[in-house]
Amino acid sequence: KVDKSFIDNVAKDANNAKLITVVSSLADIYGSKACVEGVESEEQCEIVKKCGVSSIQGYYFSKPIPVETFYEKYVTE
């Protein structure tokens, strides 16, 4: 999981984007997935996607909600 502190300035600091790419690549090598937290804008989301990350969390998508609400709203069987 990539901490929000690396996302805050990802649009201004290319080193943060490089770090996210490396973490994503390492996760792939070990058969896992990287997750980036704290994404708050479309610009941040697009940069993170370009870094190879598909699991993204943050207020850009939703404020935190109870797990029951998540399943009711977003999970279909």
Side-chain angles (χ1 to χ4, degrees):
K1 193 171 208 179
V2 178
D3 187 71
K4 180 185 181 321
S5 63
F6 294 102
I7 304 308
D8 289 338
N9 295 315
V10 72
K12 297 177 184 175
D13 189 345
N15 286 328
N16 286 359
K18 289 177 186 175
L19 176 88
I20 295 166
T21 301
V22 168
V23 169
S24 178
S25 296
L26 281 171
D28 287 343
I29 289 169
Y30 288 100
S32 190
K33 289 189 177 191
C35 180
V36 173
E37 66 180 17
V39 173
E40 296 179 351
S41 71
E42 182 177 2
E43 181 181 33
Q44 291 173 332
C45 186
E46 292 305 315
I47 291 169
V48 169
K49 286 179 182 178
K50 288 179 184 174
C51 292
V53 178
S54 60
S55 295
I56 306 169
Q57 298 175 331
Y59 283 163
Y60 176 65
F61 302 101
S62 172
K63 292 182 179 181
I65 58 175
V67 69
E68 296 83 13
T69 303
F70 174 82
Y71 278 101
E72 289 171 7
K73 289 180 84 172
Y74 302 108
V75 178
T76 59
E77 295 185 38

